[in-house]
Amino acid sequence: MAQKIIIDTDPGIDDAFAILFSALHPDLDLVALTTIFGNVTADIAARNAKVLSEMVDLDIPVAKGADRPLVMEPNPVSDYVHGEQGFGDLPAKQPKGSIDERSSAQLIVDLINESPGEIVLCPIGPFTNIALALELDPSIQEKTRLVMMGGGLDRGNVTPHAEANIWNDPHAADRVFAANWDMTMVGLDVTSDIVSPPSDFEALAKAAPVLGGFLNEAAKFYARFYMSHYNIEGCQMHDPAAMVAVLYPELFTIEETAISVVPDGELVGATLRSVDPNRRLVKACVGGQDQAIKDVFLNTIKTGH
Ligand code: RIB
Ligand code: CA
């Protein structure tokens, strides 16, 4: 039986990697996309998610989520990383269908209550919608588990201390880590070392001209960012790594620790090991079999069309 998942996403180039992977993998059943500001505005995130769902012929609800953090003023969108329209240099595409009339938080609550214990919730953007869903219906804590891309116990990317998804809404992230649910954090400690060079994406385009071709085009912009900012040849596979962790947790090295998030000041957005006895331990991924994780992603897309 395929694992049901909801992806909460700010598509975004590596979000697109994660979403197409999830749609194509036979052991995942992507039941909804809930979207959030972050890499792009909330409107562009919702539009791009609907476009992606249509690219893989998925008739699933896509909802628009929060357009700003819970407390602080929004940071600027990272269009220098993902492009103005979210998929690098690719022009904006309009979806054929419309998005769900519910908010992302409401859709998350409704779907989890319809299928308690059956859905894994996968935030791969700022955690604002997740915090709002908790506020709407705290009982979802007992009805789902989280596998999230975000954080970094010993590193950051937007700053030396903060990873982008946490940095974009530290208050929401802290509420998520303080809640009483099963959490797996796929953070920079593992995702920074999973890099796909341009040759990987060229191979995808050859094997799967439509979907692989799209990802190859989008990846070119993302790779230019990594080369110019980090002198890395390729893309760090943040979001797809989180989706691989849903299926193959054994490919990841885990440290169990409670986590708290610094809400402001110089260390804003840092995810710190916490000794708070009231906080549940998080399965924090601190390493992994990088090539094996990457191969799961690449081989799945190659089966695409
Ligand atoms: O720090 C990487 C994360 O921030 C990824 O989810 C990327 O898509 C951005 O949202
Ligand atoms: Ca993302």
Side-chain angles (χ1 to χ4, degrees):
M1 177 86 154
Q3 173 61 63
K4 285 186 177 144
I5 59 172
I6 295 171
I7 300 179
D8 191 74
T9 175
D10 58 341
I13 295 170
D14 63 325
D15 299 71
F17 301 165
I19 291 166
L20 296 192
F21 165 79
S22 302
L24 290 172
H25 198 289
D27 297 338
L28 290 174
D29 177 9
L30 179 57
V31 297
L33 290 173
T34 56
T35 63
I36 183 71
F37 77 92
N39 292 328
V40 292
T41 64
D43 286 329
I44 291 178
R47 182 201 72 198
N48 285 353
K50 189 66 183 172
V51 165
L52 289 168
S53 69
E54 293 174 350
M55 279 174 73
V56 283
D57 301 318
L58 276 183
D59 183 14
I60 59 171
V62 175
K64 181 183 162 191
D67 59 7
R68 55 165 300 128
L70 291 185
V71 176
M72 66 182 204
E73 286 306 305
N75 295 315
V77 291
S78 38
D79 52 9
Y80 60 99
V81 182
H82 295 268
E84 200 183 311
Q85 297 302 328
F87 296 143
D89 289 324
L90 291 172
K93 272 183 78 173
Q94 294 305 325
K96 296 184 182 67
S98 52
I99 63 169
D100 198 283
E101 72 279 358
R102 288 168 288 186
S103 69
S104 290
Q106 189 62 63
L107 183 56
I108 287 167
V109 165
D110 290 351
L111 293 176
I112 288 172
N113 279 316
E114 282 167 27
S115 310
E118 295 179 26
I119 295 175
V120 176
L121 180 55
C122 304
I124 59 173
F127 295 172
T128 316
N129 294 331
I130 315 305
L132 291 170
L134 270 176
E135 228 175 278
L136 261 181
D137 180 359
S139 78
I140 62 171
Q141 296 175 74
E142 293 97 53
K143 301 170 186 170
T144 187
R145 70 181 176 93
L146 268 65
V147 177
M148 59 184 75
M149 193 283 138
L153 290 178
D154 297 310
R155 67 180 92 179
N157 55 8
V158 183
T159 77
H161 317 288
E163 180 279 322
N165 290 337
I166 311 298
W167 182 72
N168 272 319
D169 195 341
H171 297 88
D174 193 59
R175 291 188 198 177
V176 170
F177 285 119
N180 182 20
W181 44 11
D182 181 317
M183 291 174 275
T184 298
M185 181 181 98
V186 184
L188 298 177
D189 308 287
V190 60
T191 66
S192 300
D193 299 330
I194 304 171
V195 177
S196 270
S199 55
D200 278 355
F201 289 98
E202 285 149 19
L204 289 187
K206 202 153 168 272
V210 177
L211 299 179
F214 163 76
L215 293 180
N216 183 39
E217 283 311 306
K220 287 174 183 170
F221 187 98
Y222 204 34
R224 283 200 297 274
F225 162 75
Y226 279 106
M227 179 51 74
S228 60
H229 279 69
Y230 302 108
N231 199 30
I232 292 175
E233 181 161 15
C235 307
Q236 290 175 336
M237 304 297 275
H238 302 297
D239 290 341
M243 306 321 301
V244 172
V246 175
L247 292 169
Y248 303 104
E250 67 277 13
L251 295 179
F252 296 78
T253 308
I254 303 289
E255 174 185 333
E256 294 218 339
T257 174
I259 289 175
S260 64
V261 179
V262 177
D264 48 33
E266 191 206 338
L267 297 184
V268 61
T271 43
L272 305 179
R273 292 172 177 85
S274 167
V275 293
D276 179 348
N278 298 313
R279 285 191 180 232
R280 186 159 166 171
L281 297 182
V282 175
K283 291 183 275 289
C285 298
V286 292
Q289 298 175 43
D290 302 341
Q291 187 61 47
I293 294 164
K294 209 168 66 159
D295 286 345
V296 171
F297 165 74
L298 295 172
N299 295 335
T300 302
I301 301 293
K302 285 175 185 170
T303 67
H305 305 288

